[in-house]
Amino acid sequence: MSPRPSTAHVRRPAILTAAAEVISECGVQNTRIRDVAERAGTSAPGVLYWFPTKDELLAEALQFADDRFYAGLTEELEGLGSARERLGRMVELWPADGDGETVLWMELWVRSLRDPRLAATREGLDRRWRDAIADIVRDGQASGEFGPADADDVALLLGALMDGFAIQLALGDPAVTADVVKRHCLALAEGRLQ
């Protein structure tokens, strides 16, 4: 195997960004490696060097998008004073109208049904999301803002509700808006965390 090119550290993020965009627009089935390569400013062999299959490209693109989301989330949440504010901001940030990451998730969920490697990726990403919610709940419980509910149960329920709303937003359901999502998610959290 030949050594990786010196521009590899630059190419991989560009490929993952391009893959997330193209898969969100076209779906995994209709995504062509050539389209990802063109969007990333590289060649199809350059994409295939890093990602031999579209499923691998999907999993890595979603992980990359997820890492960027959490980096921004951490920065935003650090500036907020209370656990209640942090939980509210999390709900505001996910899901959102026109969110390409939700489409990536939908692709991953469907493909995870039959691919154990993608199922493991999905499980890890879901666990990360629920852990982030549960950590905020525990912080709120420690500060006396929230009641004694099981933090992991609240995170599971709230995460599932948010995922369900994300699907409806991605599908353009006119009854589901970002404001509706926020209202219902916060009401559920308030009810569980009294």
Side-chain angles (χ1 to χ4, degrees):
M1 184 163 138
S2 62
R4 291 193 164 139
S6 61
T7 59
H9 67 283
V10 174
R11 292 269 187 237
R12 196 168 203 276
I15 291 169
L16 291 170
T17 299
E21 292 169 359
V22 174
I23 292 169
S24 292
E25 293 165 11
C26 303
V28 172
Q29 191 69 28
N30 295 322
T31 291
R32 298 179 308 177
I33 297 298
R34 177 178 52 197
D35 297 332
V36 173
E38 190 175 294
R39 180 97 40 113
T42 189
S43 64
V47 173
L48 292 169
Y49 176 83
W50 290 104
F51 309 103
T53 68
K54 284 196 284 186
D55 282 346
E56 191 174 329
L57 186 58
L58 167 65
E60 293 270 348
L62 187 51
Q63 181 69 57
F64 182 74
D66 210 47
D67 289 345
R68 286 190 312 187
F69 172 78
Y70 282 102
L73 178 68
T74 300
E75 190 174 307
E76 278 208 44
L77 297 184
E78 284 175 355
L80 300 176
S82 72
R84 191 173 305 281
E85 289 175 308
R86 290 193 306 275
L87 188 59
R89 188 64 185 137
M90 267 187 109
V91 169
E92 287 174 350
L93 291 172
W94 179 266
D97 290 309
D99 184 10
E101 191 171 333
T102 299
V103 176
L104 291 176
W105 272 100
M106 291 167 70
E107 291 282 347
L108 181 67
W109 288 328
V110 169
R111 297 178 91 75
S112 293
L113 292 171
R114 290 172 185 78
D115 185 325
R117 289 178 305 157
L118 288 177
T121 298
R122 189 238 17 107
E123 182 182 350
L125 293 170
D126 276 339
R127 188 177 330 106
R128 183 181 192 184
W129 178 239
R130 290 190 300 260
D131 287 349
I133 295 169
D135 287 346
I136 291 174
V137 170
R138 286 186 192 96
D139 287 347
Q141 289 170 330
S143 69
E145 293 176 67
F146 300 143
D150 183 286
D152 293 320
D153 282 349
V154 171
L156 180 64
L157 184 58
L158 186 57
L161 180 63
M162 292 169 76
D163 284 345
F165 276 134
I167 293 168
Q168 297 306 308
L169 282 169
L171 295 174
D173 187 325
V176 180
T177 65
D179 288 339
V180 167
V181 172
K182 181 179 178 182
R183 180 168 44 87
H184 285 297
C185 289
L186 292 180
L188 174 97
E190 287 291 327
R192 291 292 175 136
L193 295 171
Q194 292 180 9

